Amino acid sequence: MLGARAWLGRGLLLPRAARGLPTSRRGSSSRDKDRSVTVSSSVPMPIGGKGSRTNCSPSVPQKVPNRLINEKSPYLLQHAYNPVDWYPWGQEAFDKARKENKPIFLSVGYSTCHWCHMMEEESFQNEEIGRLLNEDFVSVKVDREERPDVDKVYMTFVQATSSGGGWPMNVWLTPNLQPFVGGTYFPPEDGLTRVGFRTVLLRIREQWKQNKNTLLENSQHVTTALLARSEISMGDRQVPPSAATMNSRCFQQLDEGYDEEYGGFAEAPKFPTPVILNFLFSYWLSHRLTQDGSRAQQMALHTLKMMANGGIRDHVGQGFHRYSTDRQWHIPHFEKMLYDQAQLAVAYSQAFQISGDEFYSDVAKGILQYVARNLSHRSGGFYSAEDADSPPERGMRPREGAFYVWTVKEVQHLLPEPVLGATEPLTSGQLLMKHYGLTEAGNISPSQDPKGELQGQNVLTVRYSLELTAARFGLDVDAVRTLLNTGLEKLFQARKHRPKPHLDSKMLAAWNGLMVSGYAVTGAVLGQERLINYAINGAKFLKRHMFDVASGRLMRTCYAGPGGTVEHSNPPCWGFLEDYAFVVRGLLDLYEASQESSWLEWALRLQDTQDRLFWDSQGGGYFCSEAELGAGLPLHLKDDQDGAEPSANSVSAHNLLRMHGFTGHKDWMDKCVCLLTAFSERMRRVPVALPEMVRALSAHQQTLKQIVICGDPQAKDTKALLQCVHSIYIPNKVLILANGDPSSFLSRQLPFLSTLRRLEDRATAYVCEDQACSMPITEPCELRKLLHQ
């Protein structure tokens, strides 16, 4: 497309604009990764030889802060004392770049990102690099979690013009915000296999002065190519594709990549990716009598069990780390993200519904226990993440995983008690070490510890079943379970005295919405009011602190202030599509769990606002951001991948179907059809990239069940019928409580509810599909039979 390559000088080449967006790998894309294994630069960089390296050690951070000191984001505040003259994303920086005719250096990351910390320490704290940036560039720092629109636009560029993507993401832009060079982590100086950050800055400075017009021209070509490749619209299509075909293709693609031994769907690194597990459960339900259906169930349950037994799960404090660095789910990247906890709580609850195995419900309860203890604000909101890094001891330099790993010596010291009744001399510590695979030399291989920080350390991972461990030492299974639980509790208490990982106390509407779903669904499935109350408090927090009553809009962020207060940025950061989609889903789940119609009413109002702000009336589907909010960005995108988080368009498709089921409003069904049609081409090409949307397509073409319970919300027989519904895996349903009041909110939405009567004054259930309802049912066992058909 560019004809001849444009030299950037001394070996630097601009990428070919014709390169397409890379197809994502199964289950996750490089957008889901905080990676540093390869430098992803959009220009082939010269490899530095021995003569090009200098010893460039980072300087001590200056005492004088830069302008990021006025920001609320924990990530931006981590850079507030860099010698770099950072600007937050905004007009002040853009005006300076235009006025001084300088390129913009955009650096995007987040506060719990290990390689973001590395680059900050090595390069952004370095006086010489700071001087280079300040003299020849306008440097802009962005928290990707505050501005997902900025992150997505420039990550699209980096992925399209290089070998991958990840964070930190570093992109050079024209003063008009057009990207022309991009990459991820850069070391400060040239090495044998990587170009150094200082070299990149010098070469780009040189080319901006000598070949600026060529840079601008080629940047425009790249942007034009990206615009063409990223467009998602209905075009001439009238209807979405066949759900049966998309389901079959998606399942086959997952089946081909499935790891038979350890579960999961890719080589290392392995991500939990709950959207895939959700798809497999739904596929199983609609193919229960087939071999493929059984296979789908087995794949999902096995993956969930292997993850829960692996080191990716924190066996001491519960919750899941971000991903596994190996096939076995053994050595994790130790960061803990709120969105993982929220989605995995739902996945394990559903596994319990399907299998009846309390192993899965115990894991779900453990996840929510961790969130309540470590990621919860006293007012009901949920924090974003905990860092992977922490100091091994106070005053020491942070290391990855230091908070979570153990030596044999530590465990022996903490658990010296002899185990009575064992067939050989045995202490509690030895029993725990055998069961969880701890060794004297440590169970972390050098290949997974490139910096040598974890020598002699161990990650707890279940190596044997309770039965095998008990048999090994001639003990009773219940006795072993008690001894292990007691040992883990002692380790937990000891771990409290270690320096804690950094907490990102930023609260995001989207992730809080996911967490409301996590508590609401798990609480409903397990019949635990306490968990549902956490969901209620989370929704109250969203309404009180992240909702502007006057405009009806959600705010994207708020922050934990001193003394348990809640703070906002000024001006506020308004919500993106994912904020609305995930909060609406959370409120719909909360209505079904609590049967309080106020949550449903708020969900409908937020959906109206979402439609007004983000709907593409020409092409169908939702844009990720408001047009005004993203003014100046070179691309206006629609999210087209279900990765570590589901796509907001996929979640919206489900929400629209459910709200049509709750209200009968045809407009929402029409929007759902338009959305699914707009994403038809993407689903046809790579259905495995959109498993959550394929699920929505199936729900649309199979029609939702309306399960109506007529009864007094406080009566035992009503609660029994509701719990019966919650105990069964029925993804394509809406659950409605009709209390007999014709003036109630739901009766006004669905007039047919007033025609449904209690039988003999008992709580009565009806299952309705296609405007036809079943005979009245009063016994939970009869309802269970009908719902299992």
Side-chain angles (χ1 to χ4, degrees):
M1 181 175 287
L2 290 181
R5 289 183 176 181
W7 284 94
L8 286 178
R10 294 170 68 183
L12 295 178
L13 300 172
L14 196 75
R16 294 184 184 273
R19 288 183 192 169
L21 293 170
T23 301
S24 64
R25 294 196 309 169
R26 277 182 189 84
S28 67
S29 80
S30 52
R31 286 180 297 177
D32 302 329
K33 296 169 189 163
D34 160 23
R35 70 155 100 189
S36 70
V37 178
T38 58
V39 175
S40 301
S41 172
S42 69
V43 290
M45 296 292 182
I47 295 172
K50 290 181 181 178
S52 66
R53 287 181 297 180
T54 60
N55 184 14
C56 177
S57 58
S59 63
V60 177
Q62 290 191 354
K63 297 298 181 186
V64 179
N66 56 50
R67 54 180 56 74
L68 296 185
I69 197 68
N70 299 315
E71 298 298 307
K72 299 290 184 186
S73 158
Y75 176 64
L76 299 187
L77 289 171
Q78 285 170 349
H79 295 75
Y81 285 88
N82 294 163
V84 180
D85 185 19
W86 290 115
Y87 284 77
W89 181 266
Q91 200 59 46
E92 184 184 5
F94 311 152
D95 289 345
K96 178 180 172 69
R98 289 175 191 132
K99 181 181 177 182
E100 299 180 9
N101 193 23
K102 290 179 178 177
I104 293 170
F105 168 60
L106 171 66
S107 183
V108 181
Y110 57 102
S111 85
T112 59
C113 160
H114 174 75
W115 289 97
C116 301
H117 299 332
M118 288 295 296
M119 193 159 179
E120 193 250 346
E121 183 180 299
E122 294 170 345
S123 293
F124 301 144
Q125 289 183 20
N126 182 281
E127 295 284 355
E128 183 190 355
I129 287 176
R131 188 164 56 252
L132 273 171
L133 284 168
N134 296 343
E135 287 175 359
D136 298 295
F137 302 88
V138 176
S139 300
V140 175
K141 226 345 146 179
V142 167
D143 182 336
R144 68 170 290 261
E145 293 164 359
E146 282 190 331
R147 291 300 303 257
D149 57 333
V150 175
D151 177 63
K152 183 172 173 57
V153 163
Y154 294 111
M155 187 63 77
T156 299
F157 167 77
V158 170
Q159 288 180 311
T161 56
S162 69
S163 60
W167 299 279
M169 176 175 68
N170 298 294
V171 188
W172 284 263
L173 319 176
T174 71
N176 291 326
L177 308 184
Q178 304 269 5
F180 61 90
V181 174
T184 55
Y185 165 80
F186 292 96
E189 298 295 327
D190 295 346
L192 292 175
T193 59
R194 299 183 189 178
V195 68
F197 187 57
R198 189 170 66 91
T199 299
V200 175
L201 292 176
L202 290 170
R203 301 290 163 71
I204 291 175
R205 178 182 72 176
E206 179 183 337
Q207 290 307 305
W208 185 259
K209 290 176 180 176
Q210 294 181 2
N211 296 312
K212 186 174 69 171
N213 290 336
T214 304
L215 281 179
L216 296 176
E217 181 183 336
N218 285 323
S219 173
Q220 184 58 54
H221 283 313
V222 173
T223 304
T224 301
L226 288 177
L227 273 169
R229 281 166 173 74
S230 61
E231 184 181 3
I232 292 171
S233 75
M234 290 185 290
D236 297 330
R237 292 179 290 271
Q238 300 297 314
V239 292
S242 156
T245 303
M246 293 302 98
N247 264 291
S248 177
R249 281 190 200 163
C250 190
F251 172 74
Q252 291 303 326
Q253 289 179 341
L254 289 171
D255 191 27
E256 288 165 13
Y258 179 62
D259 185 335
E260 297 282 353
E261 189 172 1
Y262 296 105
F265 300 90
E267 294 300 317
K270 274 187 176 174
F271 287 76
T273 325
V275 289
I276 287 177
L277 304 173
N278 293 343
F279 168 81
L280 290 171
F281 283 148
S282 290
Y283 187 86
W284 159 76
L285 189 65
S286 56
H287 298 77
R288 273 178 295 179
L289 303 180
T290 70
Q291 189 174 351
D292 281 353
S294 299
R295 168 79 169 160
Q297 183 200 51
Q298 178 267 331
M299 286 159 65
L301 292 177
H302 180 59
T303 297
L304 285 166
K305 186 153 276 188
M306 294 304 290
M307 288 195 313
N309 284 332
I312 191 174
R313 179 181 171 208
D314 178 4
H315 294 276
V316 174
Q318 299 304 314
F320 278 77
H321 300 295
R322 188 154 177 247
Y323 60 84
S324 172
T325 62
D326 55 70
R327 255 188 83 199
Q328 296 85 358
W329 304 105
H330 179 197
I331 306 301
H333 176 51
F334 291 90
E335 181 181 15
K336 287 182 176 178
M337 309 300 295
L338 182 68
Y339 60 75
D340 282 328
Q341 318 309 322
Q343 295 178 88
L344 286 170
V346 173
Y348 279 97
S349 299
Q350 291 173 342
F352 171 66
Q353 284 177 314
I354 290 166
S355 69
D357 187 343
E358 290 186 359
F359 171 86
Y360 298 106
S361 59
D362 287 345
V363 175
K365 286 186 283 189
I367 292 169
L368 298 183
Q369 180 186 29
Y370 160 72
V371 172
R373 183 183 65 240
N374 286 56
L375 295 180
S376 292
H377 189 276
R378 66 171 68 172
S379 298
F382 303 105
Y383 302 134
S384 294
E386 283 192 303
D387 208 324
D389 300 2
S390 60
E393 294 179 21
R394 299 193 191 285
M396 293 180 68
R397 184 179 176 276
R399 295 180 182 176
E400 180 164 10
F403 186 71
Y404 298 103
V405 293
W406 302 88
T407 63
V408 163
K409 186 176 179 181
E410 285 175 299
V411 176
Q412 288 173 331
H413 174 72
L414 290 166
L415 304 173
E417 309 85 2
V419 176
L420 302 178
T423 52
E424 61 186 77
L426 182 72
T427 65
S428 296
Q430 289 169 329
L431 177 72
L432 185 140
M433 289 187 290
K434 182 71 174 177
H435 188 74
Y436 288 103
L438 279 68
T439 67
E440 192 80 46
N443 63 12
I444 302 170
S445 72
S447 64
Q448 292 166 298
D449 180 28
K451 290 181 284 183
E453 294 180 333
L454 299 171
Q455 291 178 5
Q457 302 285 349
N458 293 272
V459 173
L460 270 64
T461 182
V462 176
R463 290 297 172 88
Y464 307 99
S465 66
L466 287 171
E467 290 76 12
L468 276 174
T469 300
R472 166 71 176 76
F473 297 109
L475 296 168
D476 179 73
V477 171
D478 288 337
V480 169
R481 181 184 291 109
T482 300
L483 285 165
L484 291 174
N485 288 340
T486 302
L488 291 174
E489 177 60 25
K490 287 185 177 178
L491 264 58
F492 176 72
Q493 294 302 326
R495 203 169 75 175
K496 284 182 177 179
H497 299 288
R498 295 177 175 180
K500 289 183 172 58
H502 160 70
L503 173 70
D504 186 337
S505 58
K506 175 175 73 270
M507 289 170 274
L508 301 171
W511 296 1
N512 272 251
L514 289 176
M515 203 66 240
V516 168
S517 284
Y519 273 107
V521 171
T522 306
V525 169
L526 304 183
Q528 294 196 3
E529 288 291 329
R530 181 178 59 84
L531 299 180
I532 296 171
N533 285 334
Y534 273 104
I536 290 171
N537 290 336
K540 287 179 177 176
F541 180 91
L542 282 162
K543 197 162 192 179
R544 186 182 309 121
H545 295 291
M546 307 189 80
F547 178 62
D548 180 61
V549 178
S551 65
R553 293 163 80 193
L554 286 170
M555 289 175 230
R556 169 72 174 172
T557 59
C558 64
Y559 310 85
T565 59
V566 176
E567 297 180 341
H568 295 86
S569 56
N570 186 22
C573 184
W574 294 110
F576 297 92
L577 174 63
E578 65 183 50
D579 297 297
Y580 288 85
F582 296 178
V583 169
V584 167
R585 172 192 267 187
L587 294 173
L588 296 179
D589 289 337
L590 181 54
Y591 165 71
E592 294 197 351
S594 68
Q595 295 301 321
E596 293 179 18
S597 63
S598 60
W599 301 122
L600 180 58
E601 293 182 56
W602 190 31
L604 301 183
R605 288 203 300 273
L606 287 178
Q607 186 65 50
D608 282 333
T609 305
Q610 175 183 320
D611 294 347
R612 174 169 54 85
L613 296 177
F614 304 101
W615 181 253
D616 179 3
S617 55
Q618 270 77 48
Y622 294 97
F623 289 111
C624 294
S625 59
E626 298 179 48
E628 294 79 11
L629 193 62
L633 286 172
L635 304 174
H636 196 201
L637 299 173
K638 297 174 186 173
D639 202 2
D640 63 350
Q641 178 156 338
D642 298 318
E645 302 165 62
S647 151
N649 270 289
S650 298
V651 172
S652 294
H654 285 278
N655 291 345
L656 290 165
L657 282 174
R658 292 173 76 181
M659 283 187 292
H660 176 260
F662 281 122
T663 66
H665 293 180
K666 185 174 181 295
D667 179 54
W668 279 327
M669 179 60 80
D670 292 343
K671 272 195 167 61
C672 181
V673 172
C674 288
L675 188 158
L676 293 170
T677 304
F679 282 85
S680 292
E681 185 58 31
R682 176 72 163 153
M683 277 194 281
R684 282 195 182 96
R685 277 193 298 116
V686 205
V688 75
L690 283 166
E692 190 75 4
M693 191 168 289
V694 174
R695 279 205 324 123
L697 180 67
S698 299
H700 161 60
Q701 295 186 5
Q702 292 170 7
T703 72
L704 292 186
K705 285 184 170 74
Q706 292 169 306
I707 304 173
V708 184
I709 311 294
C710 301
D712 176 357
Q714 303 306 318
K716 284 185 179 178
D717 55 354
T718 304
K719 290 182 177 180
L721 289 174
L722 288 169
Q723 192 53 45
C724 171
V725 177
H726 288 309
S727 69
I728 304 170
Y729 177 68
I730 321 169
N732 302 335
K733 63 114 173 52
V734 293
L735 176 59
I736 296 168
L737 178 65
N739 60 8
D741 179 4
S743 65
S744 70
F745 174 74
L746 273 167
S747 293
R748 284 182 278 126
Q749 304 292 321
L750 298 170
F752 82 90
L753 293 179
S754 60
T755 68
L756 304 180
R757 297 280 181 264
R758 298 189 203 183
L759 202 62
E760 299 173 359
D761 206 30
R762 298 168 65 188
T764 305
Y766 297 85
V767 179
C768 306
E769 286 184 82
D770 292 326
Q771 300 179 322
C773 293
S774 68
M775 297 295 288
I777 300 167
T778 56
E779 293 296 332
C781 59
E782 293 299 317
L783 179 59
R784 183 176 296 276
K785 280 182 193 173
L786 179 61
L787 293 174
H788 272 306
Q789 287 177 2

